[in-house]
Amino acid sequence: MLDNFISSKPPTIMEEVQGGKDVTAAGDLVIDIVDTDTALSTPQTTQRDTVDEILNAKVKEEPVLRDEDAHMLRLLETQVSETVGLDSEIDYKTFKKILRVKDSFFGERYFKLFDTNKSDTIEVSELLASVRKLTQATSTEKLNFLFQVYDQNGDGYIDIEELRTALRSCMVESSVKLGEEELDMLTQALFEDADVDNSGQITIDELSAVIQKNPGVKDNLCVGIEQWLKPPTKVKKKGSRYLTKAYFFNNLRKIAFFAGLLLLNCILFAVGCWNYRTSNWCIIVARGCGLCLNFDCTFIVVLMLRKCITWLRATPVSHVLPLDQHIMFHKLTGILIMVFTILHTAMHIGNAILVAESQFNLTVPAFIFTTQANIGWVAGFAPLSGVLLVIVFVVMFICSMPFVRRSGCFEVFYWTHMLYVPFWVLLILHGRYFWMWFIVPGLMFLLEKLFRSKLIKKVRYGNSFILEVNLLPSEVTHLVISKPPNMRFQPGDYLFIQIPDIASSEWHPFTISSAPELEDRLWLHVRSAGHWTKTLYEYFNKYEAKKLLKPRAHVNKGFQATSDAHRPLDTSVSIRSVQLITDFARSRKSKKSFKSRKSTYKRKAETHKVVNVPCYIDGPYGTSSRDIFDTEHAVLIGSGIGVTPYASILQSIMYRFKAYKRCCPNCTHAWYDDVPQHVMNLKKVDFIWINRDQKAFEWFVSLLTQLEMEQTMEGGLGNFIEMHMYMTAALNKTDLKGIGLQMALDLIHKKQDKDLLTGLKTRTQPGRPDFKKLFTKIAAEKKGNVKVFFCGNPMLGKTIKQHCESFGFGFCKENF
């Protein structure tokens, strides 16, 4: 069958003609095995090897599989054998199901090519053998297979309609959604580039030639087996990374703080045991744990004093303490409290068993669950309060676990965490000396709570209202909120918002996505991921707007030029930029530049509404992004909606440059004065945005377009901000199912200097970033010390952090 379709030295087309081989019947399925080097110098014919001839060819030397490909093939074999078995036959429907092949042109073509006897079924063993052969085939043989996939009628040529059908399927496989006009544009560009002889058809030679224009593509063509596999069970690596020298030096502050916390607990445990060394062993251990609990139940409060932590970020202490990990240490302290609580409780139960009857003439339950033993400094309440404390803390601990917080049950986490009030009251009643530990942090916490109360906020900020709402693709809600005149924040800061119309008692944190320089507005971008955020989207989706706004017009308010505090600023160029962006938005709506009126892809239109919804804001609170302007070479990496802090930062960078932009009064020449280091120490910024689908880029496309324009204008910033866009759902150029689309997109980008997916000058790259390659390039630029700022998926953050450790880059990630 197809497992033997490859020979180590296939005959060329000319050799077939000279050898007098029979021409295959029009309906026979064939697999071209063409020696490309010979074919390029010989006339193209329609004579090809039949399947039977190829199957009889002996493989002289089988290429060696790469370890990665061999692993993928083993996974594929396991997946198929567990689903249908290795001895069965499958039809097209089962083929799609077990291999997760999309209902598209490629699925049908692959099935037909694998179904060599035209029985509309494939033997599973034959399928696996064929995939193995195709995987380890040479680049020329894979190119021939690709040609046959595109050549639907088997005449030895690819016409423009066949190419159009293939590109449409490439779009389906890559989750790219473009209109018919864009598809025609892509087809025409690729066809004209390949059809060098203007014959109206593409030959195997011409296809090979156009692929060879892309260095490395032909030699790295792959079948894309990983697309057919179910996500494998992730095997967590045992903490080898945490024992490396690189990890130690890149996380020195965190490790030192963690070690100090453990050491302090050990010291307190030893002191507590020593103070009661004359008691029985149960009391000795219980008192040691009790002293640790006095400290930990107080320290856990300190770690959530957000105002104090924000203030500390502006002091030299921020270079010593791991302020970015305060939530992690809050969780770690909670685990320590649970450990000491279990041990403390067990020891007191043991002590009750030892002394209840002999010294107090009580049963063990009466000793623990009543006040009859008269133990404690408040009416013998110590044993019973201890029982209540355990119940309260266990409820808080369980309901704060990730499986509760991230499963749409945030309200459960929120309300059970409010049990900290009875928890502290019981602690004061339970422990004779706890109040001494708690009084200072407790007062600080109380002051913060008062400062963050609705009454104080109203006195401080006045009334706040949501003035505009934009319902963006992928259920992202863009809120435009009135900014209090006395509110000051830094780029990348976040705040808590409460909207009484949604939930009168819930506060949720979101990064501020607008720049601080925007005087009367602030923006929030909220992705629908939980109950509250989905309710928010639905609420404004059904909200009856006062009037419909022009699309994206409000966005440009954020870039209106401001005046320098010391010298006047010529804003004429900036105003022209704003007008250009406004025109761009209008033309995009009216002419449907990205989506034609006849497009088969119809996305939901963005909804822009003027509203007047009261809200309360609590903040701002600082994050690690506050270090951005003290960094020499900043690398900003946003995953999905994690781009929001960097939207604020990029806007603020442009504002700071604009403050030092000068224009000649006698001509149009413009230039930038040097920005002082105390304003901004940046020498280069690399902005990396990773999205799964195409629609997500529309959240900030106008902002990014203007940033590109500002850099390319006369006297602009050049390549100060370098953008890197990645779409993970799109297949790479080396994938047989993605090569056609990616080559066509490259051609359009080269001709029009515009990416067809986003409208930006920056070409959107398919797949995930190769951080090793990317960081190597960044390190080679030698613009100064490199620091990577990340906001997004935690698993991706771990991967990026490992790369940063190997390159010696600094690393910070957003934490709420």
Side-chain angles (χ1 to χ4, degrees), residues 27-54:
D28 290 342
L29 175 67
V30 292
I31 303 293
D32 281 343
I33 306 297
V34 179
D35 186 328
T36 303
D37 295 334
T38 305
L40 290 175
S41 60
T42 59
Q44 178 69 28
T45 74
T46 60
Q47 291 181 300
R48 297 178 291 173
D49 291 333
T50 66
V51 173
D52 291 336
E53 291 169 340
I54 295 171

Side-chain angles (χ1 to χ4, degrees), residues 136-157:
Q136 63 185 128
T138 65
S139 58
T140 301
E141 291 161 347
K142 290 178 181 177
L143 177 61
N144 274 275
F145 184 79
L146 175 66
F147 186 85
Q148 290 184 73
V149 171
Y150 279 37
D151 180 17
Q152 300 158 50
N153 60 11
D155 63 354
Y157 300 96

Side-chain angles (χ1 to χ4, degrees), residues 234-246:
K234 294 182 180 179
V235 179
K236 292 186 178 180
K237 296 181 180 179
K238 297 182 180 179
S240 57
R241 179 174 73 92
Y242 302 102
L243 302 178
T244 62
K245 184 178 179 181

Side-chain angles (χ1 to χ4, degrees), residues 111-261:
F111 184 83
K112 287 181 179 179
L113 291 176
F114 290 152
D115 179 21
T116 56
N117 59 3
K118 299 184 179 299
S119 63
D120 293 330
T121 60
I122 306 175
E123 293 181 5
V124 171
S125 57
E126 175 189 1
L127 170 64
L128 294 174
S130 300
V131 173
R132 176 178 290 275
K133 276 296 181 183
L134 185 58
T135 301
Q136 63 185 128
T138 65
S139 58
T140 301
E141 291 161 347
K142 290 178 181 177
L143 177 61
N144 274 275
F145 184 79
L146 175 66
F147 186 85
Q148 290 184 73
V149 171
Y150 279 37
D151 180 17
Q152 300 158 50
N153 60 11
D155 63 354
Y157 300 96
I158 302 173
D159 59 38
I160 194 166
E161 283 304 317
E162 289 176 330
L163 181 62
R164 191 175 192 276
T165 301
L167 289 183
R168 186 192 299 278
S169 188
C170 285
M171 288 165 51
V172 173
E173 295 289 341
S174 293
S175 299
V176 170
K177 298 178 180 178
L178 297 172
E180 292 298 314
E181 290 181 8
E182 286 74 28
L183 177 58
D184 291 340
M185 190 188 306
L186 291 167
T187 305
Q188 192 68 29
L190 183 57
F191 194 84
E192 289 178 355
D193 190 58
D195 184 21
V196 293
D197 59 0
N198 296 320
S199 64
Q201 294 174 318
I202 300 175
T203 65
I204 179 66
D205 307 346
E206 291 173 330
L207 179 64
S208 176
V210 76
I211 289 178
Q212 286 179 340
K213 293 180 182 179
N214 298 268
V217 172
K218 180 181 176 182
D219 295 334
N220 293 286
L221 283 175
C222 62
V223 186
I225 299 176
E226 63 275 6
Q227 301 292 328
W228 298 350
L229 299 176
K230 296 176 182 176
T233 303
K234 294 182 180 179
V235 179
K236 292 186 178 180
K237 296 181 180 179
K238 297 182 180 179
S240 57
R241 179 174 73 92
Y242 302 102
L243 302 178
T244 62
K245 184 178 179 181
Y247 180 85
F248 179 82
F249 283 104
N250 282 283
N251 297 273
L252 189 57
R253 287 188 298 171
K254 183 172 72 175
I255 294 172
F257 192 84
F258 176 68
L261 180 61

Side-chain angles (χ1 to χ4, degrees), residues 42 52 74 76 147 157 164 175 215 270 298 326-327 345 384 413 420 539 551 596 633 649 656 663 737 759 777:
T42 59
D52 291 336
R74 285 193 297 270
L76 178 62
F147 186 85
Y157 300 96
R164 191 175 192 276
S175 299
T298 298
H326 72 99
I327 293 179
T345 303
L384 183 56
F413 160 74
Y420 66 75
Y539 173 81
S596 70
H633 191 163
I649 290 169
R656 297 182 189 215
C663 293
K737 300 187 294 296
K777 175 180 176 295

Side-chain angles (χ1 to χ4, degrees), residues 713-748:
M713 290 173 61
E714 181 184 0
L717 302 176
N719 203 32
F720 180 82
I721 300 175
E722 187 171 352
M723 298 184 189
H724 312 263
M725 305 295 170
Y726 292 90
M727 180 177 166
T728 59
L731 299 179
N732 285 307
K733 192 183 293 184
T734 55
D735 193 298
L736 291 178
K737 300 187 294 296
I739 182 173
L741 175 64
Q742 294 304 325
M743 288 195 304
L745 288 171
D746 283 344
L747 290 170
I748 295 296

